[in-house]
Amino acid sequence: MPTDMSAPMGQEISQSYRGLLTERIARQLEHDIRSGDIRVGAKLPSERELAAKFGASRNVVREVLRRLEAQHLIEVAPGRGSFVREQSSQHARSYDALYRAGRPTVRQLIEARIPLEVEIVGLATQRADEAQLAVIGQANDALLKATDVVDKAHADLDFHDAIAQASGNPVLRIMLSSISGMMFEMMLRSHSDPSIGEPGVPHHAEIFEAIAARDVERARNYMHEHLTLGLRTYGKDLDVSVDVMARQHIETLLSQSKNRG
């Protein structure tokens, strides 16, 4: 298993490798907690023990624990350690957990995103104010400037969320947010696969230009083309579960990043 501690002595691990390793560990612990493999009230191993188990630095482990705490999955008691929190019905039955229980495939996620985001972008094109347009533009700029696959995926997610916020419909934004975890995992793959950048397909810049021009039909068409690209380029990954695709792809990216280091 590739680890950040296996990097050559005296050589810093790449930002990309660290980000991917953080994603892998966080996904594993979140799965273990939500599935009940780690029971409510259980104390997590110490930072040192988690670092040894996952072959990661303690800084990476601390980043993972901060994320789990922000998700209300654990409670960190100073001097005592980290404990799994009792989940409210809202947290225990989060939409993300319900979706994943059904083992949705990449194709099914794309099929769900198309009608949802085409409607969202149409409303955003009609309703976005200047401040919201600026936020969408900033997310697009951040994606263009990002060089690391994890940063690209985060910027990609921010772009789609900014459009949802500009739609003026909080229900639609919450619906999109409920699948954002799986979207992020798809985006990791998209931004590390050259075939996804198929020539002639509208991407974020074209979508943003259509929104700014208040051209509803063009914005909707561009979003539809942008989302259906995956149906042509994901190949055999289309009909595997999002979880399996993400796990396999993160491992591949970790291995590649380690070898480049």
Side-chain angles (χ1 to χ4, degrees):
M1 179 181 297
T3 70
D4 67 339
M5 294 196 298
S6 65
M9 291 294 293
Q11 182 177 343
E12 292 290 334
I13 62 170
S14 71
Q15 179 182 352
S16 176
Y17 187 87
R18 175 171 174 158
L20 290 166
L21 189 59
T22 302
E23 290 298 327
R24 182 177 69 182
I25 298 170
R27 291 179 76 255
Q28 182 62 57
L29 288 175
E30 180 180 352
H31 173 271
D32 291 347
I33 291 170
R34 291 195 188 279
S35 67
D37 289 346
I38 303 178
R39 292 177 295 179
V40 172
K43 181 180 179 181
L44 294 183
S46 67
E47 287 182 4
R48 178 179 56 80
E49 291 168 329
L50 287 172
K53 175 181 179 179
F54 290 108
S57 69
R58 292 179 69 170
N59 284 337
V60 166
V61 169
R62 290 189 191 105
E63 191 172 340
V64 169
L65 294 178
R66 283 194 294 268
R67 182 182 306 188
L68 296 178
E69 186 177 24
Q71 292 175 297
H72 307 288
L73 293 173
I74 65 171
E75 182 176 2
V76 178
R80 296 179 55 223
S82 301
F83 298 84
V84 176
R85 292 183 55 170
E86 182 174 2
Q87 303 297 297
S88 68
S89 58
Q90 177 182 2
H91 288 134
R93 291 182 57 81
S94 69
Y95 283 114
D96 185 77
L98 289 175
Y99 294 146
R100 291 182 191 276
R103 297 181 63 78
T105 65
V106 173
R107 185 190 302 275
Q108 290 166 341
L109 181 58
I110 294 173
E111 289 173 347
R113 288 182 65 187
I114 291 170
L116 179 61
E117 294 201 66
V118 167
E119 182 63 20
I120 283 172
V121 79
L123 293 173
T125 303
Q126 298 175 59
R127 299 172 178 174
D129 59 29
E130 292 304 314
Q132 290 169 330
L133 285 174
V135 173
I136 298 170
Q138 288 164 5
N140 181 55
D141 290 342
L143 177 55
L144 293 174
K145 293 175 183 176
T147 56
D148 168 74
V149 65
V150 176
D151 291 341
K152 287 181 180 181
H154 280 300
D156 195 342
L157 201 60
D158 288 344
F159 178 82
H160 288 269
D161 179 65
I163 295 174
Q165 185 171 17
S167 75
N169 188 319
V171 177
L172 288 174
R173 188 185 183 194
I174 291 170
M175 289 171 69
L176 188 67
S177 178
S178 74
I179 59 173
S180 63
M182 292 186 292
M183 287 169 57
F184 178 79
E185 291 165 4
M186 278 187 59
M187 289 166 179
L188 282 177
R189 184 194 184 291
S190 297
H191 289 294
S192 56
D193 185 345
S195 71
I196 303 300
E198 193 174 86
V201 175
H203 293 294
H204 292 184
E206 291 84 358
I207 294 170
F208 174 55
E209 288 169 4
I211 296 171
R214 306 295 181 180
D215 190 328
V216 174
E217 183 177 0
R218 184 155 56 105
R220 288 171 63 93
N221 288 339
Y222 279 175
M223 181 64 80
H224 186 275
E225 288 186 54
H226 176 59
L227 295 176
T228 55
L229 175 61
L231 296 175
R232 299 192 300 275
T233 56
Y234 269 59
K236 64 181 181 180
D237 281 347
L238 267 178
D239 295 307
V240 299
S241 75
V242 176
D243 281 340
V244 169
M245 182 276 296
R247 184 172 63 251
Q248 292 175 344
H249 196 62
I250 288 174
E251 292 296 340
T252 299
L253 290 174
L254 280 167
S255 178
Q256 291 172 350
S257 182
K258 176 186 174 185
N259 291 335
R260 285 194 299 269

